[in-house]
Amino acid sequence: MNQTKRQAIFDRLAATIPEPTTELTYSSPFELLIAVVLSAQATDKSVNKATAQLFPIANTPESILNLGEAGLKEHIKTIGLFNSKAANIMQLCRQVLEKHNGQVPQTRDELEALPGVGRKTANVILNTAFGHPTIAVDTHIFRVANRTRIAPGKNVLEVERKLDKYVPKAHKKDAHHLLILHGRYTCTARKPKCPDCIIADLCEFKKKSV
């Protein structure tokens, strides 16, 4: 795929999704961090349902630690892997307090040093909370990047590096959410909605149903 086609793809996605953002509900960088940690192998809808009960009573490192691990589990028990997530969040809260004065750090290395935070989560926080032009590659983005041939790669890191290289500069800040939303609602895993896709004529997917 050439850059002219990539530019056209992102121009169209941006025009169709004028305010791309996460579907997780949050009101601070720390709330977003907790929500993203909880979202691993879980839907945004299930996370939002849990945090709607959790955040009004505990939405800072101190208040979650005061709630205790057992109390935290009560609020997130409807989310997959809640036991390990609760343990990680408690350790994460301690580290944020002890090493970062209670503030979410703004570098990838510092974020990845937190329990339960990997490269993908760190990229989401850098992009969504702090406006950095990072692109976290989840299952939706991995699929869209390979299927359309915008940035094909055999693994997540390869796709991330190609996206970083090829996404037009003007769209880099929003690319993460543009691709996620396109993958979630149009370029779906089992039955992509090619007839309704605004980039179908630009996409290089050989099996598209247009």
Side-chain angles (χ1 to χ4, degrees), residues 55-205:
F55 287 159
I57 61 169
N59 68 342
T60 64
E62 299 95 331
S63 57
I64 287 180
L65 288 172
N66 289 336
L67 189 63
E69 189 169 332
L72 176 60
K73 285 181 182 180
E74 275 300 306
H75 287 87
I76 66 170
K77 63 185 179 183
T78 56
I79 297 173
L81 307 174
F82 74 93
N83 283 309
S84 60
K85 288 176 181 178
N88 281 332
I89 287 171
M90 298 305 284
Q91 293 178 49
L92 178 155
C93 288
R94 291 188 190 96
Q95 282 197 29
V96 169
L97 282 172
E98 293 168 5
K99 297 184 178 181
H100 306 291
N101 298 313
Q103 302 300 309
V104 176
Q106 297 191 36
T107 70
R108 180 183 281 112
D109 288 345
E110 288 175 316
L111 284 164
E112 286 192 48
L114 297 173
V117 177
R119 185 179 182 89
K120 183 178 76 173
T121 296
N123 279 337
V124 171
I125 300 305
L126 290 171
N127 178 258
T128 307
F130 301 122
H132 295 209
T134 54
I135 302 174
V137 178
D138 72 347
T139 54
H140 295 299
I141 292 181
F142 186 79
R143 178 178 67 254
V144 172
N146 275 289
R147 186 182 274 169
T148 61
R149 311 305 288 174
I150 291 171
K154 295 179 181 178
N155 56 58
V156 166
L157 189 57
E158 186 179 353
V159 169
E160 181 189 326
R161 286 173 174 163
K162 285 189 176 180
L163 286 169
D164 189 52
K165 180 179 180 180
Y166 294 131
V167 171
K169 188 175 180 180
H171 294 296
K172 193 163 283 187
K173 181 176 173 290
D174 289 332
H176 168 72
H177 292 116
L178 289 172
L179 293 174
I180 278 184
L181 294 170
H182 185 65
R184 187 173 287 168
Y185 296 110
T186 302
C187 196
T188 50
R190 292 185 180 180
K191 291 185 177 180
K193 301 170 184 176
C194 301
D196 301 324
C197 179
I198 53 149
I199 61 167
D201 59 314
L202 300 169
C203 169
E204 296 182 1
F205 181 39

Side-chain angles (χ1 to χ4, degrees), residues 6-26:
R6 289 189 182 96
Q7 180 74 51
I9 285 173
F10 280 99
D11 285 347
R12 287 191 198 174
L13 290 176
T16 306
I17 313 170
E19 295 182 6
T21 190
T22 181
E23 293 184 315
L24 291 169
T25 302
Y26 72 100

